Amino acid sequence: MTDVTNTLHVTVQHPSARATVVTVTGDVDLHTASTLRAHVLPVLEEAGPHLVLDLAQADFFDSTGLSTLLGLLHAAQQAGGSLSLASVPDRLMGMITVTGISQLLPIHATVADALADQTPDERTGNACAGTETSA
C-alpha cells in the first residue's frame, strides 16, 4: 500500500517583470492539487502572465495533479500568458507524454531554458529571462 503524505510546498520567485517561477516540492494529488492552484492562480493576476513550473522536486502527480496542470495552462492563456514546465523528473515525464499533455505544454530541461524561451516583451523586444530579484 502506498503512503499518502499530503505534502506539497510551493515557492514563488519573480526573475522578471512578466515571468514567475513556481517551484513545486512534494506530491500533487487529490489532496494537494487545490494548494497548488491556490498559490499559482493569484500569481497570474498579480505578478505577470508567464509561468514556469519547476518540477525538479515534484515526487508524485496523480490524475488530479495532471488535470491541475491543464487548468493552470488554461488560466495562463486566459490571462494572455503561458505556462511551461522545467526539470520534469523521468517518472512524471512518462505520464505527461502518455497522456498527451506534452503536446500542450512546452517542456524544458532547466528553468533557465524555460525563461529564455518566454514570449518577448512587446515594448522592448527582449526575452523575459531577466535576473532573479527578491519579491
Side-chain angles (χ1 to χ4, degrees):
M1 190 149 125
T2 304
D3 292 331
V4 176
T5 62
N6 294 331
T7 302
L8 178 70
H9 298 284
V10 177
T11 305
V12 177
Q13 296 175 319
H14 305 281
S16 77
R18 293 181 45 88
T20 301
V21 176
V22 177
T23 302
V24 178
T25 304
D27 302 336
V28 183
D29 58 24
L30 178 65
H31 304 286
T32 62
S34 60
T35 301
L36 180 60
R37 280 190 302 274
H39 280 85
V40 173
L41 292 177
V43 168
L44 286 171
E45 295 173 12
E46 299 166 9
H50 301 292
L51 294 176
V52 176
L53 289 184
D54 178 359
L55 301 179
Q57 299 175 43
D59 295 324
F60 175 77
F61 269 68
D62 69 1
S63 60
T64 304
L66 295 175
S67 177
T68 298
L69 290 179
L70 295 175
L72 295 175
L73 171 62
H74 179 71
Q77 290 172 335
Q78 290 291 99
S82 63
L83 174 68
S84 55
L85 306 180
S87 305
V88 179
D90 290 341
R91 64 192 170 280
L92 178 54
M93 190 62 179
M95 292 176 65
I96 288 172
T97 301
V98 166
T99 59
I101 293 172
S102 62
Q103 300 298 310
L104 303 173
L105 288 167
I107 299 171
H108 301 278
T110 67
V111 170
D113 291 344
L115 289 171
D117 194 41
Q118 290 293 326
T119 304
D121 184 322
E122 293 83 9
R123 289 170 285 137
T124 64
N126 295 327
C128 294
T131 57
E132 187 170 324
T133 58
S134 299

